[in-house]
Structures are given as structure tokens and as C-alpha cells.
Amino acid sequence: MAHDALEPVAPPQTPVAAAAIFGDRLELAEQFVAVLADTGITHGLIGPREAPRLWDRHVLNCAVVQEAIPVAAATQRVIDVGSGAGLPGVALAIARPDLELHLVEPLARRTEWLSGTVAQLGLVNVTVHTARAETMWDQLDAPWVTARAVSRIVQLAEWTLPLLTAGGSLLALKGSRAAQELEEGRTALTRLGVVEAGVEACGTGLLDEPTFVLRATIGDVVDRRLFRSRQPSSAGSARRRADRPRGARRPGPAAGGRPPHQP
């Protein structure tokens, strides 16, 4: 289905759990869902079939990850890699105004949509970057990095661990196979500088299905020279494949895209 053939839909009804998760910022979350159901679909960031599940499968699924980030006295920075439709970045920014979100997405048409959505929602705690994660290693760091539907954990760690400050954690939103994926990649993660890793369930008691978060924590700041010696890739390419509407044309260089593995 071509992007210009997509039609916006009515946003789904707000579930009871949304009030518990967003509190006094529920109205802002409802506005975000309405944007996803409108331009999120017409711009090809959300598949039309996902519209009825925007709350439970997407926005609430992402917002509960706030449980993995303790509230601190000072503002904490979070880098969301492969932000796509603002999931989890925008959802977290709404749920936690105490966080400073940086959305990193390599595809320009997506960051244009993200910037417009952030402005429309009036989110002053969000900055959007048109970039691959690897190009931000010397420009941006944070104690927290988030990613959803981007890649398997070892590849994701290679892209994102250099963005972490000492003792920082990568929070990867995963499905029910998170524990198996962690065990398969644990040795490789240790070699990359991860000192502690585990799987946490967020949203238990609030959502019908909790969100499984694979947390990978580093000790000291990782040696970026080790990571630069690895083949560069895109921390957004897998996300673009995962949420592109079925049958939609893959963007080529003329549309602002680029071939995979191109520096």
C-alpha cells in the first residue's frame, strides 16, 4: 500500500489503565494517540491495522518503561535510539516530564514528523536528532538509552553502549523471548563492557501483557575504539522494517533513505 493511499482513522477509546500511567498528563497522551491515528498512519509510521491497538500495544506498552528509570532529584537524560513514531521516546516524555528525551532517528521524513508532533504537543523536554546512533557517540551521552523493535540485543549494544555514561543502562523493549535472547548474547555483552544484565517486567497489574525490558548496565565508560573497529550500520534500519506498513515502498536515496550498512 502506498503512503498516499493511507487514510487516518478515529483514535481508539482511552483505556482505564491510561489514567493510572499518565496521571494529570492523560490529556496530552490522548492527543499523542490522536496524532498517531492521523498523520502517524498517513505518513506510514504506523500500520493501519495497528490503529485499534495504539493504546495497549504501543503507547501504554512504552510508557510503563518509566518504571525502570527511578525518579531523581536532578533531570535525567534519556537517548531513544531508532525512535520511529516516537515509541518509546514521546510516550516517556509525556509520562515523565522530569526526563530530558533525545530522539535519535536516521530517516529524515520520520524526524520531520517527530519534530512536528513534539511541537504540536508542546513537549519542551524533547530534542529530535536526524542521525544514526554511531554518529552521536562524540556528541551526546546519557545514563539511559532506550530502544524498541530495533535489533537483537548484541547488535543494539554495539550501536548504543558508547552513548552511556559510567554506570548507565540500555533499556531494550523486548517481547516474551527477552530472557532467551539475553542468555544467547550474555557472553558477547560482557565482552562489550556490560557488567550486569537482566529482564524486567514493567506494567504488571496495569496492562494485560507487561512490557519486558532487557536492561544492560555498563561499569566504566566503554572504550569507543573497540566499537569503532566494528562494521558501521544503522540503528534505525531494523525499526523501519518492523513498523513499515505491509506493501509500502521502501524509501531509496531519492526519498531520503539510504542502503543498509552505508556509513
Side-chain angles (χ1 to χ4, degrees):
M1 182 183 296
H3 294 330
D4 58 5
L6 300 175
E7 296 289 341
V9 301
Q13 183 176 357
T14 303
V16 174
I21 293 169
F22 286 103
D24 61 3
R25 289 168 72 83
L26 175 60
E27 183 177 349
L28 197 55
E30 291 175 325
Q31 293 176 28
F32 179 43
V33 171
V35 172
L36 289 173
D38 186 0
T39 58
I41 289 178
T42 60
H43 284 58
L45 281 79
I46 294 288
R49 295 180 182 178
E50 293 301 301
R53 302 182 288 186
L54 283 174
W55 276 113
D56 56 356
R57 185 172 180 177
H58 297 287
V59 175
L60 297 184
N61 176 273
C62 290
V64 294
V65 177
Q66 64 176 303
E67 297 175 8
I69 305 176
V71 176
T75 299
Q76 300 180 84
R77 177 180 289 174
V78 179
I79 302 172
D80 184 39
V81 170
S83 293
L87 301 166
V90 172
L92 277 175
I94 295 172
R96 292 282 299 275
D98 60 307
L99 299 177
E100 174 192 330
L101 271 295
H102 287 261
L103 313 186
V104 178
E105 164 62 46
L107 195 57
R109 68 176 182 84
R110 290 178 181 264
T111 54
E112 290 172 3
W113 181 90
L114 283 168
S115 296
T117 299
V118 166
Q120 182 177 343
L121 298 176
L123 295 174
V124 297
N125 61 330
V126 178
T127 302
V128 178
H129 305 267
T130 305
R132 292 182 291 122
E134 308 94 304
T135 66
M136 301 298 291
W137 289 353
D138 294 319
Q139 302 180 47
L140 196 64
D141 60 17
W144 307 99
V145 172
T146 58
R148 178 182 190 244
V150 171
S151 184
R152 292 183 64 80
I153 189 59
V154 174
Q155 178 66 87
L156 182 60
E158 292 178 351
W159 288 326
T160 61
L161 294 188
L163 294 169
L164 290 170
T165 54
S169 295
L170 164 63
L171 304 176
L173 284 68
K174 295 289 183 177
S176 59
R177 295 172 59 85
Q180 178 180 340
E181 184 175 334
L182 172 58
E183 289 310 308
E184 292 171 351
R186 190 179 290 276
T187 299
L189 290 174
T190 300
R191 290 172 179 164
L192 292 174
V194 172
V195 297
E196 184 177 355
V199 176
E200 307 167 15
C202 297
T204 301
L206 292 171
L207 306 180
D208 292 337
E209 296 182 10
T211 300
F212 292 100
V213 176
L214 199 165
R215 181 195 295 260
T217 302
I218 62 171
D220 296 328
V221 175
V222 298
D223 186 350
R224 293 176 178 174
R225 292 172 299 179
L226 169 65
F227 290 78
R228 287 195 173 96
S229 67
R230 298 173 181 272
Q231 183 179 7
S233 187
S234 168
S237 59
R239 156 63 67 80
R240 294 197 296 274
R241 289 194 300 271
D243 67 4
R244 188 169 60 244
R246 183 174 297 179
R249 180 177 61 87
R250 180 175 181 172
R258 58 177 180 79
H261 307 300
Q262 177 175 316

